[in-house]
Structures are given as C-alpha cells and as structure tokens.
Amino acid sequence: MSARRTKKQTLDRKGKGRHSRTMSAGRITAACAVAALATTAVVWVQSDEQAAQATQSGTAKVPSLALVNGKLSYTPDASKNRIPDFSSAGYKGGGVPLPDAAVVGRVDARGSGDDTPRIQAALNSASKLKPSATGVRGAVLLGPGTFRVTASLKLADGVVLRGSGTDLGKGGTLLEAKGVPGSLITIGGDGDYTRTGQRVSIADDYVPVGATKVTLQDASSFKAGERIVVQRPTTQEWINAIGMNKIPGGESWTPNSGILAARTVVAVSGKTVTLDAPITTAIEKKYGGGTAWHYTLAGQVTNAGVENLAADAKEFTEDPNYGRPEDGKNKDAGAFASRLVTIGAARDVWVKDVKLTRFGSGFYVNDNASRVTIERAADLDMKVPDGLAPPPAFMVGGQQVLVRDTTVTGDRVHAWTTQAFAAGPNVFTRSTATSVTGQGQVDAGPHMRWASGTLYDQLTINSSDGAFIAANAWDGGTGHGWQGANNMFWNTKATTYTILAPPTANNWAYGITSEQVEGKHDDELPTTPSLGTIVSPGKAVAPASLYEQQLSERRISPEHH
C-alpha cells in the first residue's frame, strides 16, 4: 500500500521528526526551487541517514533542466547526477514502430464451451513457423464474438494474439474470464537474471544518476552489442544511510541483490563501457559499489504481442476468494491476480488497443521484463472488494517500459505504479485515471522499496482523493519504506501531491498542478524528510511531454547529453 496522508496539511510548517530534531536547512521549498534550483547545506548531521542527505544536498545545485532555444539543457549537480533520459523506454529501446504481424491462423467464436484449448493450439502452431527478419512469426486472429478463457494463454517468441476489435457490438472480440481469478494472457516465463562468467567490479568511486558510462576494473570480456547486467546491491551500509534499518514491526530492509539494470553494451573503450540506457540510482563505492556481468534469462520471450481485443472479468468478481489475494491457500486467487496480461521474462514485447472491464488489477510487468510497450489500453470499472488494499491498474517492475495513452476508471486503485527496485528508465505518459464515485482513492507514483528512474508524464487523476505520491511509506505494506527515487513528475494534475527526496537521491516535479501535502508517515520517521525539487507548481512547463522531447532529441543526436 502506498503512503497516504490522513488529512490535508501544507508543508510550510517548522516541523519536527519523531525525535524532535528540527528540519535541516537542506529542505527545499517550492519557491527556492523555482527561483534558484539550489539547496543550502544540511546543518544537523546526527545520524547515518542525515549524513547521507548532507552528502546528496551539500551546497551544490539540484540536478535540473530547462528548454533553451527548443532544446533541453541539463544542469547536473556537483556529483554529476542529472535528470535521466527516459527515451529508451519501450519496444526496441524506444521510438521504433510496433510490427504489423501477418495473420497465420484464425479461431472463430462458438456459442458455448471453453475456448482456451482451441486458442492455445493455434498459438502453439504459430510458434513453429519461421520468424521474419524482425523476429515475428505471425498473428493468430480471433474472429468477432465472445471467447471463454479458463486458463492463461501462453505466447511464445514471435507470436501475436490479435482480436477483431474492442467493441463487441461492432464486430469486436471479447475474452470472457472464467474460473479462478488469474491472468488471461502470459508473455514470458518466470526465470531470473542468472550470471554467467565473472563479476567485474566497477572502478568508479561514484557513478552518477543519468550516467550511460561506467568504468570497470577490467572491460576486456565485454563487447559492443552484448547484453549485460549492471548490479547495484542493497547493502547494510546503504540501508542504514537511508534509515530503512529502523522500520518498526520487523519490517526493516535487509541486504539483497538490489537493482539489476539489464543493459546493452553500445561501445567499449579501454576500461569504459557505454550503455544503451542510463543508470537511475547512483552507484557509490562507500555503499558497496557495483558489478557488471553477462547473464542468461530462462524462459525469455521476444517479439510477441497482444492486440485489438476486449476482456471482461465479471465471473472473477464472484469468486469467494476474490478478496483474498495469494493467501497461501489460493495462490492464484484474488483481485490482485485478476489481470488481462502478465509479462514475465520478456524483451521487445507489446500490448496495444485493448479494453478490459471489471478486473481487479490489469497489467503487470515483472522485474525480468525489458523494452516493453503498452499503449491505447483501457482498464475500466476496476472491481476491488471492500477491505482490500488498492490493486494496480498498470504495475511495472521491469525496465525500459513505456505505458502511454491509457485510461483507468475505478475507486481505491493505484493507476500507474512501480514495484520494488525497478531499475528504470520507465515511462507513464498521456493518460487519465478517474474515480467512479468522484471521491475514491486513485493515485500514482512508485509503490515500494526504491523504484528508480520513472517518468510520470502528462498524467491526470480526476478524484477528490486523487494524488501523486513519492514518499516514505515506512512500515506500510511489507515495509515499503522509501517508495522510489530519481523519479520525475512532468505536467501532471491531481488534487494533491506528496513528493519527497530520499537521502542519497532526489525526486522532481515540473509543472505539477495539485495541492502539496505532507506524507502520511512524516512525523513517525527518524529524520524529517526533505522535499523533492518542485518547479513551476500550478503552471505547465515546456515542452508539454518530456518523453517526447527527449525521444525527438535522441533521434537527431544520440549523444545530445
């Protein structure tokens, strides 16, 4: 569950934390962010967490950008952190049109019976065809009418599942969800990034946010075109520095594999490796540094897609376990598992032109997925049982994921959100979420545990309880803590927003139209959190879309930054 406030409160108070420490002078006000985009030095350095914040803030400028003569101008801070380039999000690394697969099979609707075996058989047949030069084998076309689906349809490499339209009354295709709540369609397996060969240590003392180059102790085993993982582990030193060792109730964070940034090597020069997408959380030697390594990913599916269909989950909502997601007895039951598409170990896959109604969730992109596009997707009339935490309409755990031109309607939902340690860059853009009652909890922002490098771009939430949130959820959920870092909110609109800067990192909001309110847990935290960088609150900034601007500049000059 995301951090939420209990009542509206402005952020102009001279607040104190749980231990009555005064706010640091490094706390950024909206006025000074607009006027100078700078912070002053942190005065009180009384804990690991405060010391980390002091290092991040110092007396340097906060990373910023502006549109100058029609082109983005980036200003890094003293450590060379910069606002990331998000333009590599999406199919084939962004900016590449989705393929138009030729129809290689067809399944027509019948009046009754389970249609799952017939559809899966057609998908299996398509998977045996020779792929084209683009890696696409072909599309299985579902004819007009209703198809009953009782188990998850599996897509293989190069296979597209395509309907005849999203409007059943106009010759479209409807998937009718049957049986135990789950995902109607699955793209990719559940394999993890598995190291092959040696871990090579990063030689840099500090790899800044936004960097596309890392220096290794030995880069001789890496070549242009290879796919590698750049790993930034979660160490106890860093956990202490950001205060996540102090979460009550046994929910403190523990060391783990951390952020696994799957990247393609663009070039190798000496010991320096150039990557196709930026680093979204700084890699610091004092917090354990990082490594680079080659990998395999079992069950990975590429060049597959879902297109041009509708789905309805009315029967799922009537399941007696619908309000008990993954409770151990019914692991696949519940509103959280009620989805149209789950994307697992996958790369260069897509979902487009789909409409779903009465699902508990919608779209889930796991952390083993990359270079995914979801566009023109509607998740309507989301059904959430009373007492259940808000499920996500669009959940992203992977990286280089683009979600655009989407619509969400429902109450008590996370419209666009990310999972723990999502490596980014990810983008949600040109989308709208609306409360059915006009006052339901509808929010957007990182969900839990340091999802970094996501752009929330041209998003609107219509609800009296609508909010954009990037804060410290503290002991909410399963110790969600700092929900995310180095995220950008660009020309967004909602009733309220809470955007804070975690120690060692930042969050930005440019052109946000909302009322600024405190985080739900601000007074419980061991150190009073700093505000994120807020620029031009209440007034849109140029360009209208940061993603589109960055993409257009990359097309002209890949080395524009």
Side-chain angles (χ1 to χ4, degrees):
M1 56 188 291
S2 290
R4 299 286 295 171
R5 70 208 181 286
T6 55
K7 62 181 180 179
K8 292 182 179 179
Q9 294 176 302
T10 60
L11 274 162
D12 59 359
R13 65 183 176 95
K14 294 182 179 180
K16 297 184 178 181
R18 175 189 290 181
H19 303 299
S20 298
R21 295 175 181 143
T22 58
M23 288 195 301
S24 73
R27 189 163 187 169
I28 307 164
T29 66
C32 79
V34 174
L37 291 174
T39 65
T40 55
V42 173
V43 176
W44 302 107
V45 182
Q46 298 176 342
S47 67
D48 290 337
E49 183 184 4
Q50 287 176 309
Q53 186 67 59
T55 301
Q56 186 268 337
S57 296
T59 58
K61 289 183 177 180
V62 175
S64 63
L65 59 76
L67 193 67
V68 179
N69 296 325
K71 187 176 180 180
L72 293 170
S73 176
Y74 297 81
T75 301
D77 66 11
S79 298
K80 298 184 179 181
N81 295 299
R82 51 160 282 163
I83 291 172
D85 185 338
F86 300 96
S87 66
S88 65
Y91 175 76
K92 297 288 187 180
V96 178
L98 298 178
D100 185 10
V103 174
V104 297
R106 180 183 175 103
V107 181
D108 288 311
R110 294 177 178 174
S112 61
D114 182 3
D115 295 300
T116 310
R118 295 194 301 127
I119 299 172
Q120 189 62 61
L123 294 171
N124 293 346
S125 294
S127 72
K128 298 174 183 178
L129 300 175
K130 183 179 179 179
S132 68
T134 62
V136 177
R137 302 175 194 274
V140 171
L141 177 65
L142 302 181
T146 299
F147 295 80
R148 290 150 294 277
V149 179
T150 61
S152 192
L153 299 165
K154 305 290 196 295
L155 301 190
D157 272 350
V159 177
V160 176
L161 179 62
R162 180 184 297 154
S164 298
T166 60
D167 190 337
L168 186 62
K170 296 181 179 180
T173 299
L174 177 70
L175 302 184
E176 196 171 72
K178 297 289 185 180
V180 175
S183 182
L184 269 61
I185 302 166
T186 300
I187 305 176
D190 57 4
D192 295 321
Y193 294 109
T194 302
R195 178 175 57 84
T196 61
Q198 297 297 312
R199 296 181 189 272
V200 179
S201 296
I202 293 174
D204 302 292
D205 288 338
Y206 190 94
V207 180
V209 175
T212 55
K213 295 182 178 182
V214 294
T215 303
L216 305 178
Q217 296 289 355
D218 179 4
S220 61
S221 63
F222 298 95
K223 297 178 177 60
E226 292 182 329
R227 299 175 192 173
I228 66 172
V229 163
V230 178
Q231 181 178 5
R232 180 198 183 279
T234 295
T235 63
Q236 191 63 54
E237 292 82 4
W238 180 69
I239 292 171
N240 296 347
I242 65 171
M244 295 296 96
N245 60 323
K246 303 172 184 176
I247 302 177
E251 299 289 358
S252 290
W253 295 6
T254 56
N256 57 58
S257 58
I259 297 172
L260 303 180
R263 299 289 187 258
T264 299
V265 177
V266 174
V268 179
S269 178
K271 295 183 179 181
T272 300
V273 174
T274 301
L275 309 171
D276 66 325
I279 298 300
T280 60
T281 291
I283 301 173
E284 302 181 65
K285 186 166 289 186
K286 69 178 180 179
Y287 295 136
T291 58
W293 35 273
H294 295 92
Y295 71 88
T296 58
L297 182 56
Q300 179 173 263
V301 168
T302 61
N303 299 298
V306 178
E307 307 173 351
N308 210 31
L309 53 79
D312 182 80
K314 179 179 182 295
E315 186 169 303
F316 279 179
T317 68
E318 298 170 352
D319 188 284
N321 294 311
Y322 192 62
R324 295 191 298 162
E326 301 181 14
D327 61 357
K329 297 179 182 178
N330 300 281
K331 185 177 181 181
D332 296 324
F336 277 75
S338 170
R339 309 171 191 153
L340 175 64
V341 181
T342 297
I343 299 175
R347 179 180 174 89
D348 295 326
V349 301
W350 66 91
V351 179
K352 70 172 184 177
D353 298 311
V354 297
K355 180 178 71 174
L356 56 158
T357 53
R358 295 186 282 197
F359 280 76
S361 184
F363 304 83
Y364 202 106
V365 183
N366 279 314
D367 58 5
N368 49 4
S370 62
R371 306 207 313 188
V372 176
T373 292
I374 300 175
E375 62 183 12
R376 298 188 298 277
D379 194 351
L380 306 177
D381 194 21
M382 292 180 65
K383 294 300 181 183
V384 183
D386 291 339
L388 192 67
F394 295 87
M395 171 68 84
V396 171
Q399 52 201 289
Q400 293 179 272
V401 179
L402 171 64
V403 179
R404 66 180 169 189
D405 298 318
T406 63
T407 305
V408 178
T409 63
D411 288 323
R412 290 192 300 111
V413 298
H414 301 310
W416 310 283
T417 190
T418 50
Q419 265 290 10
F421 300 110
N426 295 310
V427 176
F428 299 101
T429 184
R430 297 189 321 219
S431 298
T432 302
T434 302
S435 164
V436 174
T437 62
Q439 57 188 10
Q441 177 187 337
V442 182
D443 57 45
H447 184 60
M448 63 180 294
R449 298 196 181 207
W450 207 270
S452 61
T454 296
L455 170 62
Y456 300 84
D457 182 63
Q458 291 187 301
L459 306 179
T460 298
I461 298 175
N462 299 308
S463 176
S464 62
D465 195 17
F468 290 100
I469 303 170
N472 189 333
W474 200 225
D475 58 352
T478 54
H480 287 3
W482 277 110
Q483 296 167 299
N486 304 319
N487 297 293
M488 169 64 81
F489 297 79
W490 188 272
N491 287 341
T492 58
K493 297 180 181 180
T495 299
T496 65
Y497 71 92
T498 305
I499 297 174
L500 306 178
T504 77
N506 207 346
N507 285 303
W508 302 269
Y510 280 57
I512 192 167
T513 301
S514 314
E515 177 191 355
Q516 194 173 46
V517 299
E518 289 181 325
K520 178 179 178 181
H521 299 284
D522 283 6
D523 289 331
E524 301 174 86
L525 305 181
T527 303
T528 304
S530 297
L531 294 183
T533 301
I534 314 300
V535 176
S536 188
K539 184 178 180 181
V541 297
S545 167
L546 179 58
Y547 169 74
E548 294 292 346
Q549 181 72 24
Q550 288 182 326
L551 183 60
S552 67
E553 292 187 12
R554 195 188 79 188
R555 284 168 170 160
I556 296 170
S557 174
E559 296 298 326
H560 74 276
H561 58 274

